Amino acid sequence: MRTRTLSVCLLVFLLVAGIFIAGCTNTSAQAGTGVNAPVVTQGASSQGSAAAVAGTGKMLKFGELWLITGFDPMNQGVFITEKAIVTESLISADENFRLIPNLATSWKQTSPTTWEVKLRDGVKFHNGKPMTAEEVKFSLDRSVKLNSANGVLMDYKSCRVIDPLTVEITTNKPNPILPEALHYPNMAIIHPDSLDANGNFSKPIGTGAMVFDSFDAQTRTFTVKKNPNYWGGPVSLEGMIISGIPDSNSRAMAIEKGEVDFTVDVPMNEVKRIDALPNVNVETYLTPRVYRMVVNFNRTPLQDKRVRQAISLAINRTDIVNDVLYGVGGPARGIYIPKMAWFNQNLQQLPYDPVKAKALLAEAGYKDTNGDGIVEKDGKPLTIDLVSAQERPGLPPMAEAIGDSLRKIGIDAKVEIMASAASTDRQKAGSYDLVMSPSNIAMVPDPSYIMEQWYMTGGYQNYGKYSNKTLDALIQDAKETTDKTERYRKFNELEVYVLDDLITIPIADYGCTIAKKDSVKGYKFDPTAHDLRMDAGMTFTG
């Protein structure tokens, strides 16, 4: 019907795209945690499909971006907390990315390494039992024990029960962003009854607006129903049947055929057509995610800053957004999003200058000596392998467009499009030159995680193996700075530093499309979420 483009404020930073892969998928089952769904029905497919959720009355049929492979919050918090809205974190954030109370009502630092967290009174789990400090300690201890990356994020040492509604969290070293880390969905609180008699995870018993109902392991269809006793107030949505549809064209077809009522990230070139369909509308939002190219510093040509500069200068980011992404997103100015509190507002859009790009390649010793249009050095052509995942609709066409741009300045660009898991394997193996990555920079409202994980020596997401001791020291200093004004000033300077060195190459700010039936009313987009957060306050009349 009509497309609404809503820019939303952004201010958090991704925690653990490294904990999860750069593509941010639900790719692996919860091995070792005993995921045994209590209710299993027989389905028609082991791959998940829109057809598996047909014929469900007023239950909202949600076509999710990824196949559902698990729902233990310690490593699948994004799905079970944000999309199924069964579990909740202690601390939330508003649309301006300021921390706000959630299951915790207040928090304060009582020593350099201890934090006192007060819990909300009157909250009940889905089994009717009250939430107390004991369940919070159990959840945090378990999250760290079973997923070490969660412990790294919090720098977690221990959690102590002070009284039924107070816990004290101790970190190994001073961690000024512990409250921000508690916002992350992997830190969601569950009741111990979520485990079976052998201590294996069985079903999510949380405090959220939706209650777990069933999981069909064959079709990978996940069903939730509304929590009639939700502490946050009446829940409007009756429930959801969630089915993973990884292919963007299939998601578009599902909403068009009425097989789903709500879906995300339909192909950009289909947005206007789908929006014009009867009884369907598409909304577009700016999200806390950046399309970037990860640079492999083990490849000799890319160790030369002039080559990296030439690659960046060859890319017309305005054309990418307008012609490849069909206006869904915006040209990148940095590694963060302009609406983030710590974004360096003095930054301009990264420039496009193919003439200068060619000059830089020549300066670096690359020249076309045989007239074939490809530059060489020491008799070897400059060949760049550009790898991209296929699931997110903007990635393949963007990779192809960038490949064309690189060929125009004399680089023999070889573009490879593959499944996200295969792309991740290539990154881990170091078998690439550049990798397209739609990296999330949100969920933890502070810039330090991205800087630390992307750019520090040994950083969890420093896939390109960049190492710079001077930069390491500057990041560590900024990370330990507690005054927010001074902290953000230091990270402003660091953003200039990493952009100047082009350790990674930002392309565009990510735009998210939400396609839904007109009978879905009142949906509010959460800009702090990983992909999107479902809204229990919306209504669905079928």
Side-chain angles (χ1 to χ4, degrees):
M1 307 295 270
R2 58 193 178 90
T3 303
R4 292 184 289 161
T5 302
L6 307 174
S7 289
V8 287
C9 301
L10 295 139
L11 162 195
V12 235
F13 80 84
L14 166 66
L15 149 84
V16 11
I19 294 178
F20 307 99
I21 49 187
C24 301
T25 70
N26 284 330
T27 55
S28 60
Q30 299 170 54
T33 62
V35 179
N36 301 308
V39 180
V40 178
T41 58
Q42 294 302 311
S45 167
S46 62
Q47 297 303 311
S49 68
V53 299
T56 55
K58 292 186 179 180
M59 296 280 284
L60 180 81
K61 300 185 292 290
F62 171 26
E64 152 66 336
L65 186 64
W66 307 106
L67 291 178
I68 302 165
T69 59
F71 40 90
D72 185 338
M74 66 87 183
N75 65 355
Q76 299 286 355
V78 167
F79 171 73
I80 196 64
T81 302
E82 296 185 344
K83 297 176 181 180
I85 49 178
V86 170
T87 55
E88 298 177 297
S89 301
L90 290 172
I91 296 173
S92 189
D94 64 17
E95 64 180 15
N96 296 312
F97 297 90
R98 294 183 294 256
L99 295 183
I100 57 175
N102 200 40
L103 294 181
T105 56
S106 66
W107 47 93
K108 64 179 180 180
Q109 192 168 13
T110 54
S111 83
T113 58
T114 57
W115 290 80
E116 182 181 278
V117 180
K118 294 287 187 180
L119 307 176
R120 187 178 298 277
D121 194 9
V123 175
K124 290 187 176 182
F125 288 99
H126 299 151
N127 58 5
K129 299 178 181 180
M131 183 195 73
T132 72
E134 294 290 349
E135 289 78 34
V136 171
K137 172 178 168 55
F138 163 80
S139 299
L140 295 180
D141 285 349
R142 179 178 181 274
S143 177
V144 169
K145 179 181 179 181
L146 297 180
N147 188 342
S148 61
N150 296 334
V152 170
L153 176 68
M154 293 189 288
D155 194 23
Y156 187 85
K157 183 177 182 180
S158 64
C159 179
R160 181 171 70 91
V161 173
I162 296 178
D163 62 45
L165 292 175
T166 309
V167 295
E168 181 183 78
I169 299 174
T170 300
T171 57
N172 294 298
K173 301 183 297 295
N175 182 9
I177 65 162
L178 177 72
E180 284 83 353
L182 293 174
H183 170 267
Y184 189 63
N186 275 20
M187 316 308 179
I189 307 305
I190 58 173
H191 194 276
D193 287 353
S194 300
L195 310 186
D196 64 18
N198 296 317
N200 293 319
F201 183 83
S202 176
K203 61 181 180 180
I205 301 176
T207 59
M210 291 290 156
V211 179
F212 171 77
D213 181 67
S214 66
F215 175 64
D216 185 327
Q218 191 172 9
T219 64
R220 304 188 194 185
T221 301
F222 192 87
T223 304
V224 294
K225 294 183 179 179
K226 76 174 181 180
N227 179 2
N229 302 306
Y230 183 47
W231 66 267
V235 177
S236 301
L237 196 62
E238 289 297 318
M240 297 185 289
I241 294 99
I242 309 172
S243 180
I245 310 175
D247 180 68
S248 62
N249 291 301
S250 296
R251 291 194 297 275
M253 186 178 299
I255 192 73
E256 183 173 355
K257 290 184 175 181
E259 294 173 338
V260 299
D261 310 304
F262 187 109
T263 194
V264 60
D265 271 0
V266 296
M268 283 77 168
N269 62 334
E270 290 274 34
V271 167
K272 289 184 178 180
R273 185 188 69 80
I274 295 171
D275 191 54
L277 294 172
N279 304 317
V280 176
N281 66 84
V282 182
E283 297 174 353
T284 303
Y285 301 87
L286 187 62
T287 66
R289 189 181 289 276
V290 171
Y291 292 107
R292 65 180 178 124
M293 291 193 295
V294 178
V295 178
N296 187 348
F297 280 84
N298 286 327
R299 299 298 175 95
T300 300
L302 295 173
Q303 293 171 2
D304 191 325
K305 179 179 174 179
R306 293 167 296 187
V307 174
R308 302 195 300 275
Q309 288 175 317
I311 290 171
S312 182
L313 287 166
I315 300 168
N316 187 325
R317 290 165 174 82
T318 298
D319 283 356
I320 289 281
V321 171
N322 292 338
D323 301 335
V324 177
L325 301 180
Y326 291 83
V328 181
R333 290 170 56 192
I335 62 170
Y336 301 116
I337 301 292
K339 293 293 181 68
M340 287 179 163
W342 55 78
F343 178 81
N344 188 331
Q345 297 294 339
N346 294 321
L347 294 174
Q348 303 297 314
Q349 180 179 322
L350 277 70
Y352 167 62
D353 191 338
V355 174
K356 185 175 180 180
K358 291 179 179 179
L360 284 167
L361 289 178
E363 184 180 314
Y366 292 95
K367 298 179 181 179
D368 181 9
T369 59
N370 59 10
D372 66 352
I374 302 300
V375 296
E376 312 98 32
K377 183 177 181 179
D378 300 327
K380 297 180 180 179
L382 179 54
T383 300
I384 294 292
D385 292 324
L386 174 56
V387 173
S388 175
Q390 63 192 19
E391 286 82 355
R392 294 187 182 272
L395 283 177
M398 188 184 303
E400 295 290 358
I402 290 172
D404 288 343
S405 296
L406 296 185
R407 293 182 198 103
K408 289 176 181 177
I409 65 167
I411 295 176
D412 183 17
K414 300 185 182 301
V415 178
E416 297 182 75
I417 309 297
M418 60 192 66
S420 180
S423 174
T424 300
D425 288 344
R426 290 280 293 271
Q427 285 191 69
K428 291 179 178 178
S431 180
Y432 69 94
D433 292 308
L434 300 170
V435 172
M436 293 294 303
S437 175
S439 301
N440 190 286
I441 51 174
M443 294 187 292
V444 177
D446 188 84
S448 62
Y449 182 81
I450 291 300
M451 280 290 176
E452 183 177 10
Q453 295 304 308
W454 289 7
Y455 301 120
M456 284 189 77
T457 303
Y460 198 91
Q461 275 193 281
N462 185 353
Y463 301 120
K465 307 303 180 185
Y466 177 86
S467 182
N468 181 326
K469 290 183 178 179
T470 299
L471 180 59
D472 290 348
L474 290 171
I475 293 173
Q476 189 63 35
D477 175 64
K479 181 183 172 184
E480 294 174 357
T481 301
T482 56
D483 178 79
K484 280 287 176 71
T485 301
E486 180 65 7
R487 184 181 183 87
Y488 290 171
R489 184 192 67 78
K490 289 180 177 180
F491 279 109
N492 276 185
E493 294 176 353
L494 282 167
E495 189 168 15
V496 172
Y497 190 113
V498 300
L499 286 173
D500 178 71
D501 212 21
L502 287 172
I503 306 166
T504 62
I505 302 175
I507 307 298
D509 299 340
Y510 195 98
C512 172
T513 58
I514 302 292
K516 53 187 176 63
K517 288 184 177 178
D518 289 347
S519 53
V520 178
K521 304 289 187 183
Y523 173 70
K524 294 181 180 179
F525 186 79
D526 181 354
T528 74
H530 182 268
D531 291 313
L532 79 163
R533 186 186 299 273
M534 293 304 281
D535 179 10
M538 64 184 177
T539 60
F540 173 60
T541 56

